[in-house]
Amino acid sequence: MTALLIERKAEAWKDVDLRAALQVRLGEHHQRYERLQNKLHERIVVFCQKLELQQDGKPHWIASDGTINEKERKKFFKKLSRNTRGGLNAEQYRDLLIDIDRDIHKLQELTNGAIRLEPIKIEKKNKLQSAYWQNVRDQAQRLYDSLSSRFLPCACQHCHQANLRLDIRRDSNADEDAARFAFLLTFEKRSQPAPSPPWDWRDIEIKSSQLTTTSAATTASQVSTPGKKNARFATPAIGSVASQPTPSRSPSPGLAAKIDSLCRVLVAAHQQDHCLGVLEDQDWQHHVFSVAGPASTSQISEAASLNDIIRSGGRIAARQKCTLALTLASSVLQLYDTAWLPRAWETSHIFFLKDRGGNVIPSQFYVSRTFTPAPQSAPVAIRRRLVKNEMVFALGVALLELAHGVSISSFERPEDLDDSGRADSMTEVSIATRLARELNNVESENYARAVLRCITFTFDTFAFDFDDREFREAFYQSVVVPLQEDYNYVTGVKA
C-alpha cells in the first residue's frame, strides 16, 4: 500500500496478485480501471514536473522525515522567473487539475459500482455453487446405484467393495470437464470363497454425462476425445485439489463401448490412462477410466480408519489436519443423504491406506461400501434435541477429535451425564459444545469458528437440511470457505 498510495510507484500496479484481485472485484471493468489509473498517474507526474515538485508530490524543501528547510523554501519563491511562469501558466495548471479530478471521479464511480454489485455477484455465485454441490451429490448416488446393479449379483460370486476417494473440489472454469470420481475397487477380504477373486485392487475414475436424447447409441465416438465435447452438467465444474490434475484420456476403439460386465473388464485393466468403456443407466453414461494410483504401484497393504489413527495417539501434522478438515467438510456437501456416507457417520467410516511398510499413504482418504446380498446395516440415527443436522454435527465432532488427537469421550465430566450418572444420547452433545466453545484457545480462528457452527448450528437459516438451497449456501460459506482459507495458508495455495 505504501508503494501504491504514498510513493506512487507505477510498477506497483503491475503486481500479479493485485491485478488478479482487481479483476475479481471489478469484473469486465478491470481493464478500464487500469487504463484510468495509468492516465491519472501520468497527469500527476506532469503536474509535479510543472510545479517543480518531487516525485512524491512534496516540495524540494520538505525532507522525507517532514522537516522544512526554510532557506531552500525562501530561495525557491524568490526566483522571479519561476513566479512569472507560474502566473502565465495558471490556466494550464487549472485544466490539468480539472482532468485529474475527473479521472479520480471516474475511478470512484467504477469502484462504487463494483461495491453496489458485490451482493448481487455473491448471490449469483452462491446459487451456482449450491446447484453444483447438488449435482455432485446426485452424481455420487447415481454412481453407487450403477455399481450396485453391476456388482450385486456378480458372476464371480465374490463380494465387491468400492472405495470412493474423498477429494477437495474448488471453483473452476465452466468450460472444463465435469467432475470425476475416483474409486479403488477390490473385494471383501473376509470369508472369500474358493477360487480366489479374479483380480485384487483396481484404480479407476468415472465421469458421468447426461445424454441429450435417450435413444442415442453408445459408440466409441461418444467417449471423450481431444477436440470433442460431450454432454456435461450445466453448472460450473470444480476440480480436485487433493489429487494431481487428471491427464486427458485416449479411448481405445476396441473397449470404448458399452460395458456389460465391469468385473470382467477389470480383469484385463492393466493399461493406465485408458478408457475401459461406458456404463449406461437410462439417460446417463458413466465413462470408466483405468488410472494410475496406489493399486497400480502395488503400494497397498491394508486400510485403517481415521478413528484408529486418532485413538493410536499418533500426531497429525498441521498440513494433514487442514487437508483432512477441508476434505471432510467438502465430502459432507458431496455425499449427504447418499449410500456412501450415513447420516450418523463417525471417524470410523473414513479410511486411509497403508503401504507395505505400515506407513499411511498421504492425501488418500476414502469411504467404503461392500456390495453384499444382505444389506449393510447403517447406524441408527437417534434424534437429539439441539442437534438440527446429524451429518453436520458429526463433522464438528470429527474436527474436534482431529484438533485434540483423541476421542471427545476422553473429556467426559460428571455434568455431561444424566441424573443417574450414566452417559446418554446428550452426553456427546454436552462434551462437544463445551470443547467447541474453548477451541479458539488452541486452534486458528477459522477452524474454531467452523467447528462451533457445526456443533451449535449458528448458520442464520430457518432450515438445516442440505436439500434446502439457503442452508447449503450458508454451510459452504460458514464452514467450507474458512477451512479452505486455512488449507491455502498451510499449503501455500493462492486463492
Side-chain angles (χ1 to χ4, degrees):
M1 294 303 292
T2 300
L4 287 173
L5 303 179
I6 299 177
E7 299 174 358
R8 295 191 301 102
K9 293 182 177 179
E11 58 270 18
W13 289 96
K14 298 178 182 179
D15 180 79
V16 175
D17 292 337
L18 175 62
R19 290 169 65 90
L22 283 174
Q23 185 170 359
V24 171
R25 185 64 180 268
L26 300 174
E28 60 184 8
H29 301 297
H30 79 280
Q31 291 181 334
R32 183 175 176 225
Y33 182 93
E34 290 181 11
R35 289 195 297 269
L36 282 172
Q37 176 58 44
N38 292 336
K39 194 66 177 177
L40 175 62
H41 177 75
E42 292 172 3
R43 294 191 202 278
I44 293 175
V45 169
V46 171
F47 187 75
C48 289
Q49 291 172 348
K50 286 183 176 295
L51 293 184
E52 300 183 43
L53 301 176
Q54 300 180 79
Q55 192 174 6
D56 60 1
K58 294 179 181 178
H60 289 281
W61 63 82
I62 298 181
S64 58
D65 60 358
T67 58
I68 298 175
N69 187 327
E70 285 292 340
K71 183 178 180 180
E72 287 294 322
R73 186 179 69 82
K74 291 177 181 179
K75 181 180 178 182
F76 180 87
F77 286 112
K78 187 179 289 186
K79 192 172 182 180
L80 181 61
S81 60
R82 182 180 289 118
N83 294 336
T84 304
R85 187 171 65 250
L88 293 174
N89 296 332
E91 188 171 343
Q92 294 180 16
Y93 298 160
R94 185 198 63 187
D95 292 342
L96 189 55
L97 281 174
I98 290 174
D99 290 337
I100 290 174
D101 184 66
R102 187 184 298 116
D103 289 341
I104 293 173
H105 179 71
K106 289 178 180 178
L107 288 169
Q108 185 180 22
E109 285 295 307
L110 275 179
T111 52
N112 286 344
I115 292 172
R116 287 193 296 269
L117 290 174
E118 191 72 16
I120 299 175
K121 289 168 63 178
I122 291 175
E123 183 179 3
K124 182 179 179 181
K125 181 180 178 181
N126 287 346
K127 287 182 178 179
L128 286 174
Q129 285 281 2
S130 178
Y132 178 75
W133 291 118
Q134 181 72 43
N135 279 337
V136 169
R137 178 263 169 211
D138 293 344
Q139 182 181 343
Q141 182 59 45
R142 276 193 295 270
L143 289 178
Y144 175 85
D145 294 338
S146 181
L147 293 175
S148 179
S149 67
R150 283 153 177 95
F151 288 151
L152 188 62
C154 181
C156 73
Q157 301 298 312
H158 290 270
C159 291
H160 285 264
Q161 184 181 89
N163 301 285
L164 171 62
R165 192 179 71 200
L166 304 179
D167 286 338
I168 300 169
R169 303 181 188 273
R170 299 186 59 177
D171 292 338
S172 189
N173 195 309
D175 293 332
E176 294 181 5
D177 288 343
R180 295 174 185 262
F181 283 79
F183 294 88
L184 183 59
L185 303 182
T186 186
F187 297 88
E188 186 179 33
K189 303 303 180 184
R190 296 172 297 177
S191 63
Q192 290 184 351
S196 60
W199 43 271
D200 192 8
W201 298 90
R202 290 290 186 269
D203 289 296
I204 66 168
E205 287 184 4
I206 302 179
K207 185 189 76 173
S208 300
S209 57
Q210 190 169 18
L211 295 174
T212 53
T213 59
T214 56
S215 60
T218 304
T219 64
S221 61
Q222 289 174 302
V223 183
S224 300
T225 56
K228 294 185 179 181
K229 291 187 177 180
N230 293 319
R232 62 186 65 183
F233 288 124
T235 48
I238 299 181
S240 167
V241 300
S243 57
Q244 296 298 319
T246 303
S248 59
R249 316 290 183 200
S250 297
S252 168
L255 289 176
K258 179 180 178 181
I259 296 176
D260 293 320
S261 171
L262 181 57
C263 181
R264 188 166 59 247
V265 168
L266 291 172
V267 171
H270 299 297
Q271 186 177 351
Q272 297 175 12
D273 300 335
H274 178 74
C275 182
L276 300 177
V278 181
L279 301 173
E280 281 191 346
D281 292 309
Q282 296 180 347
D283 296 342
W284 289 86
Q285 286 185 332
H286 309 295
H287 304 279
V288 183
F289 299 93
S290 175
V291 298
S296 60
T297 54
S298 301
Q299 298 182 62
I300 306 169
S301 171
E302 60 177 336
S305 73
L306 176 57
N307 184 57
D308 294 335
I309 293 175
I310 290 175
R311 290 180 182 275
S312 69
R315 181 179 177 274
I316 299 177
R319 182 188 181 98
Q320 186 162 17
K321 181 183 67 179
C322 289
T323 302
L324 255 172
L326 179 57
T327 301
L328 293 177
S330 175
S331 298
V332 168
L333 265 182
Q334 296 176 57
L335 304 177
Y336 71 88
D337 288 349
T338 68
W340 296 108
L341 194 65
R343 279 180 174 264
W345 69 278
E346 301 173 348
T347 52
S348 59
H349 293 101
I350 311 300
F351 291 93
F352 293 77
L353 298 176
K354 288 187 176 183
D355 61 22
R356 300 192 183 281
N359 302 310
V360 171
I361 300 175
S363 302
Q364 299 279 336
F365 319 123
Y366 295 86
V367 287
S368 180
R369 294 293 292 178
T370 301
F371 301 97
T372 59
Q376 292 174 269
S377 58
V380 179
I382 302 174
R383 291 186 61 86
R384 297 179 285 188
R385 64 181 186 276
L386 305 180
V387 178
K388 299 171 183 176
N389 186 308
E390 288 288 346
M391 292 196 79
V392 174
F393 181 80
L395 173 63
V397 171
L399 296 182
L400 282 171
E401 294 185 342
L402 272 179
H404 290 287
V406 294
S407 169
I408 67 167
S409 61
S410 305
F411 298 92
E412 183 182 291
R413 294 179 180 175
E415 58 264 30
D416 301 320
L417 307 176
D418 64 12
D419 295 338
S420 303
R422 292 175 296 186
D424 61 7
S425 62
M426 291 302 296
T427 297
E428 185 183 47
V429 178
S430 176
I431 299 171
T433 303
R434 183 178 67 255
L435 294 179
R437 297 191 187 282
E438 300 170 350
L439 192 61
N440 65 310
N441 296 323
V442 294
E443 287 293 339
S444 70
E445 181 178 349
N446 279 341
Y447 194 101
R449 287 187 181 279
V451 172
L452 187 61
R453 291 179 183 120
C454 290
I455 298 299
T456 62
F457 296 91
T458 49
F459 289 101
D460 195 26
T461 58
F462 291 106
F464 296 91
D465 192 286
F466 282 113
D467 287 330
D468 181 79
R469 178 180 63 82
E470 186 182 32
F471 179 68
R472 283 199 306 273
E473 294 174 8
F475 178 85
Y476 179 79
Q477 291 296 329
S478 302
V479 177
V480 178
V481 170
L483 295 176
Q484 177 81 61
E485 291 174 355
D486 278 3
Y487 172 85
N488 292 346
Y489 178 76
V490 299
T491 60
V493 175
K494 292 185 178 180

